[in-house]
Amino acid sequence: DAKTTQPNSMESNEEEPVHLPCNHSTISGTDYIHWYRQLPSQGPEYVIHGLTSNVNNRMASLAIAEDRKSSTLILHRATLRDAAVYYCIHLEYGNKLVFGAGTILRVKS
Amino acid sequence: DSGVTQTPKHLITATGQRVTLRCSPRSGDLSVYWYQQSLDQGLQFLIHYYNGEERAKGNILERFSAQQFPDLHSELNLSSLELGDSALYFCASTSGGGDTGELFFGEGSRLTVL
């Protein structure tokens, strides 16, 4: 299974940007990078995904390094509702989403 | 609301028993995935069905089985239950084969084995 490396936890202040890093050094050319988050007592929720170019949606931005071995999920203005476990997943083509331990994001008011 | 419905939400049973968890995917979604989340193992992929056919298997025990019916709903059967099977079981669906698309997760079924 494809492996990713993320910090165990991060802390942010409310209304400030948050940059969540992820390393995926074994990624190949056709593998997508997905981000999901899991709020307390809920199922995982899709955040964003990308292949090569940076991506933006209403929830976040995804910045992908030129060599694609790392990426950063950017929450532009963290709110208390963004406190969750964030999973970075390197999806091998034809494979399934394999979740790692993720990063626990704490947001302080 | 993701549009994925899982029942029951909570289930308490005894060791050795058998239970069935049900998942109704979002309307039109052909793929159904099952995941198990326990405190010590995190989210573990169990099995993936696409339009009634098994597509991929993960860390699913032989005591567990699943199927996807013609109306696309899916059931996960857990038998000879052990204490260690206590966990949250999530179902997720997506429209395609799941290679690149977004998965929509249900709220989970919490199984407690006593």
Side-chain angles (χ1 to χ4, degrees):
Chain A
D1 292 332
K3 298 294 184 193
T4 58
T5 305
Q6 299 177 253
N8 290 334
S9 64
M10 291 184 65
E11 202 167 77
S12 169
N13 293 317
E14 204 175 7
E15 303 296 319
E16 290 185 358
V18 182
H19 290 234
L20 296 161
C22 179
N23 287 320
H24 25 81
S25 57
T26 63
I27 198 167
S28 67
T30 54
D31 300 347
Y32 279 77
I33 299 149
H34 286 244
W35 283 83
Y36 281 73
R37 72 179 186 180
Q38 188 172 19
L39 280 65
S41 302
Q42 293 189 26
E45 174 187 33
Y46 168 82
V47 178
I48 201 167
H49 77 282
L51 184 61
T52 55
S53 306
N54 293 346
V55 185
N56 299 295
N57 67 19
R58 63 175 179 81
M59 288 182 70
S61 295
L62 176 60
I64 301 172
E66 202 168 324
D67 64 3
R68 302 205 332 118
K69 294 188 185 304
S70 65
S71 62
T72 302
L73 179 71
I74 303 165
L75 306 179
H76 295 285
R77 288 179 63 199
T79 70
L80 296 178
R81 288 176 297 176
D82 292 321
V85 180
Y86 286 79
Y87 298 98
C88 166
I89 302 154
H90 149 202
L91 181 61
E92 293 174 323
Y93 182 76
N95 217 320
K96 64 282 183 188
L97 279 176
V98 176
F99 289 78
T103 296
I104 299 170
L105 175 65
R106 298 184 179 89
V107 181
K108 297 186 297 183
S109 59
Chain B
D1 181 5
S2 67
V4 177
T5 304
Q6 289 189 246
T7 56
K9 288 191 171 15
H10 300 275
L11 189 54
I12 301 174
T13 188
T15 54
Q17 295 298 305
R18 172 190 168 94
V19 298
T20 297
L21 309 180
R22 181 188 168 101
C23 170
S24 294
R26 289 187 324 152
S27 177
D29 282 358
L30 299 178
S31 270
V32 169
Y33 294 73
W34 285 97
Y35 284 82
Q36 178 193 56
Q37 186 172 36
S38 55
L39 282 174
D40 57 346
Q41 293 288 327
L43 269 163
Q44 298 287 313
F45 166 73
L46 295 178
I47 199 161
H48 168 209
Y49 277 86
Y50 176 74
N51 203 19
E53 307 245 334
E54 182 184 301
R55 258 280 180 94
K57 249 182 180 176
N59 302 321
I60 188 165
L61 299 171
E62 283 191 15
R63 300 183 286 109
F64 297 180
S65 65
Q67 59 184 127
Q68 186 179 26
F69 294 87
D71 67 352
L72 301 176
H73 91 271
S74 178
E75 292 181 357
L76 179 67
N77 300 298
L78 316 174
S79 61
S80 303
L81 286 168
E82 302 175 359
L83 296 177
D85 298 328
S86 295
L88 262 172
Y89 292 84
F90 289 106
C91 163
S93 75
T94 190
S95 55
D99 293 340
T100 62
E102 172 183 350
L103 289 193
F104 294 86
F105 282 80
E107 294 187 353
S109 292
R110 182 175 293 280
L111 173 66
T112 302
V113 182
L114 300 175

